[in-house]
Amino acid sequence: MGAHTLDEIERGLLQALQIDGRVPFLAVGEVLGVSDQTVARRYARLRSVEGVRVTGAIWPEALGDQLWLVRVQCAPEAAAGLARALARHDETSWVRVASGGAEIVCMARMSADASPDEHTVLSRLPRTPRVTGVSAHCVLKVFFGGRESLLDKDHRFTAERFDRLRPPPPRPTGDPVELTAGDHQLIKALGQDGRAGYRHLASVTGWSQTTVRRRLAELRHSGVLYFDVDVEHALLGLHSAAALWLSVEPGQLAAAGEALARHPQVGFAAATTGAYNLYAGVVCASSRALYEYLTGPIAALPGLRSVETAPIMRFFKKVSPAVE
């Protein structure tokens, strides 16, 4: 995977799917000026050959959960096994091995009212063999990420061209959403295939297709459910990923975070607790491009005090649909 070069139709298709993972291929074809059969064939090829997937995922904050960025220092020979174990946990959204294999960076969710002695990822990690250090940073504000991705920053097509594909924006009430057993089954099925048909989703949940349509729309409207396109960075011509831990003057934190969100290299940016109060996950075309980014746009961020760069060596998990 990764040897294929995307053409304009495939790039447009990926951008359309990032806007709405369940958008009809007929609508995508009308925007791109091709038939829906062409769009369907391209998607089938990207999925089977290049591993592109549309997945349904939850936004933890809509359920009243907190997001935590966790850094795990470990023996390099233990990193892969530990990363796989973390990836299997429902609590983790993504898991990456960084810094030459001596560190794992992951995003975990935790109930806001969870007690420290509960059996969570955060409570178990310090007792795990071969782990030499753990630091956890509560995510205070997400500047970019979740429902947004690097595909949203592919400006080969004008925004107006895709506006007709954009679903209504979510309207969260602010109160945590309670999920039913059927909701769990629905979200699990969409996590495996975000474009699964209503007949299949009805068989999984035991609901009618009409109920599936209605509940899916409700979950999207409330901000609980969104769709993400899982695509290898190499397919987009991006080969150098890194986690950036930045220390920024508190008075400039919002301005720096908003600036990061606009950078085309940034797939996730958030304000966090801890010595480093701003985090960014970035992807560049090459190591040289990463250097130019660090010494250019990053160095120019307002209020920047320091930055630590941890090269990402391997992705073990990119997005998690699972809910307990």
Side-chain angles (χ1 to χ4, degrees), residues 47-60:
R47 185 178 180 186
S48 62
V49 178
E50 302 295 343
V52 171
R53 292 193 314 143
V54 175
T55 59
I58 62 165
W59 186 241

Side-chain angles (χ1 to χ4, degrees), residues 33 104 123 138 153 232 262:
I104 298 170
S123 65
C138 183
K153 297 178 177 180
E232 293 291 335
R262 294 190 294 269

Side-chain angles (χ1 to χ4, degrees), residues 59-102:
W59 186 241
E61 291 182 342
L63 304 180
D65 293 343
Q66 292 179 332
L67 291 172
W68 289 79
L69 275 165
V70 184
R71 303 183 73 176
V72 183
Q73 286 77 41
C74 62
E77 63 272 16
L82 180 56
R84 290 191 187 95
L86 286 170
R88 288 194 292 268
H89 281 282
D90 291 345
E91 298 166 14
T92 59
S93 299
W94 47 257
V95 181
R96 303 163 183 177
V97 172
S99 304

Side-chain angles (χ1 to χ4, degrees), residues 1-60:
M1 291 188 291
H4 177 73
T5 300
L6 295 175
D7 62 20
E8 293 297 288
I9 293 175
E10 291 166 335
R11 280 191 173 271
L13 170 58
L14 292 180
Q15 189 175 348
L17 290 172
Q18 183 61 45
I19 291 171
D20 182 357
R22 293 185 65 84
V23 63
F25 287 150
L26 179 61
V28 178
E30 290 174 350
V31 169
L32 298 179
V34 297
S35 69
D36 58 330
Q37 293 93 339
T38 296
V39 175
R41 283 197 303 271
R42 295 301 184 92
Y43 177 68
R45 200 205 71 79
L46 288 173
R47 185 178 180 186
S48 62
V49 178
E50 302 295 343
V52 171
R53 292 193 314 143
V54 175
T55 59
I58 62 165
W59 186 241

Side-chain angles (χ1 to χ4, degrees), residues 33 114 165 168 195 201 224 226 243 267 298:
L165 306 180
R195 294 188 62 84
L201 296 174
V224 172
Y226 70 96
I298 289 296

Side-chain angles (χ1 to χ4, degrees), residues 167-190:
R171 303 289 185 187
T173 63
D175 298 322
V177 176
E178 294 287 339
L179 298 180
T180 68
D183 292 334
H184 288 257
Q185 294 299 320
L186 176 63
I187 294 171
K188 182 178 180 180
L190 290 169

